[in-house]
Each structure stands twice: as C-alpha cells, then as structure tokens.
Amino acid sequence: MRNWMWAALLIIPGVELFGFIWVSERIGAGSTILLIVLTSLIGIAMMQFEGRKVMQDTRREMQNGQVPGRKMLDGLCVFVGGMLLVIPGFITDIIGFTLLFPLTRPLYRIFLLKWLEKKLKEGKIRIHRRF
C-alpha cells in the first residue's frame, strides 16, 4: 500500500505538470490558468449541488427505514470528486467530474463495493452495531 502511495505522489504531479505545459502550448498560459480556476469553481458548485441531493436522498431512505448504504458511497464519491476538482490539474479534474456526475458515479461505486467486500472478508474492517 505504501509503495502505491509513493508512486502516486511522484507520478500524478508529473502528469499534471505535463498536462499544464501541453495545454498552455495550445491555448496560452493565461487561458490555461483561467481554465483551471473555472474548473475549480464549477467543481465547488457541483459538489454543493450533488452533496445536497445525496443528503436529501439519504434522509429520505433513513425515514423510510432503509439503510442508505448506496447513498453513503455516493456521498463519498461526491466529496472525493469535489476535492479533486479543487486541486489544480487536468487529470484530477477529469476524475473529479466523473465522480460528481451521477451517470458515471456508479462505476466508482462498483469498485468501492468490491473493495469493501474484500476488506470485510479479510477482517480489516469491522462493523459495530449500537442498540
């Protein structure tokens, strides 16, 4: 796990820097900076809108006596997607928008469910119930 994190910390900034250079060569440095700022602002607005929507759906499911497991994963995706949009970079923006967009979010949810199932089977995650 730690090797993966170190690799990500080295590779992602390099890819983002390459993306900045590539885009600024095509549209100019000023336009590139403006584009980065706009994606951050749009990301913040989308995160707020989608976050409210997920919270409302979660409340509705809880009031109906249902466990909002899927909505909780949606909330996690919205939060991570919003954070990725605030971080300057084009690759993080693409991933962030796909996490926020309701039509692509289920792809990430499937990955998260498989990861959670694996961790539960390995005993690395425990669920405690309150009565």
Side-chain angles (χ1 to χ4, degrees):
M1 176 78 171
R2 289 184 181 177
N3 291 336
W4 179 83
M5 288 176 51
W6 281 109
L9 285 172
L10 293 173
I11 292 171
I12 292 173
V15 171
E16 294 291 6
L17 181 62
F18 175 77
F20 283 132
I21 293 169
W22 188 81
V23 171
S24 65
E25 286 176 351
R26 283 164 183 63
I27 65 172
S31 297
T32 302
I33 292 170
L34 180 64
L35 186 61
I36 291 296
V37 170
L38 284 175
T39 57
S40 292
L41 293 174
I42 291 169
I44 290 169
M46 280 185 69
M47 184 172 81
Q48 289 176 343
F49 176 76
E50 288 297 324
R52 283 189 193 113
K53 199 165 111 181
V54 167
M55 289 298 293
Q56 288 172 351
D57 292 344
T58 302
R59 282 190 198 113
R60 190 176 313 116
E61 285 186 10
M62 288 176 70
Q63 287 172 349
N64 292 334
Q66 300 171 336
V67 177
R70 185 173 288 176
K71 294 300 174 187
M72 297 294 279
L73 289 176
D74 280 349
L76 179 64
C77 288
V78 167
F79 176 75
V80 171
M83 291 295 106
L84 287 174
L85 284 167
V86 172
I87 297 171
F90 294 110
I91 304 300
T92 54
D93 285 350
I94 291 169
I95 296 169
F97 276 121
T98 58
L99 279 165
L100 286 176
F101 195 61
L103 295 176
T104 55
R105 198 179 309 142
L107 300 173
Y108 292 100
R109 192 181 326 126
I110 290 169
F111 170 75
L112 282 171
L113 285 172
K114 286 183 181 181
W115 180 81
L116 283 171
E117 182 181 351
K118 178 183 170 193
K119 294 296 179 185
L120 283 168
K121 284 182 181 178
E122 293 174 356
K124 294 184 178 180
I125 296 177
R126 295 182 186 170
I127 298 175
H128 298 279
R129 298 179 85 176
R130 290 188 195 181
F131 294 101

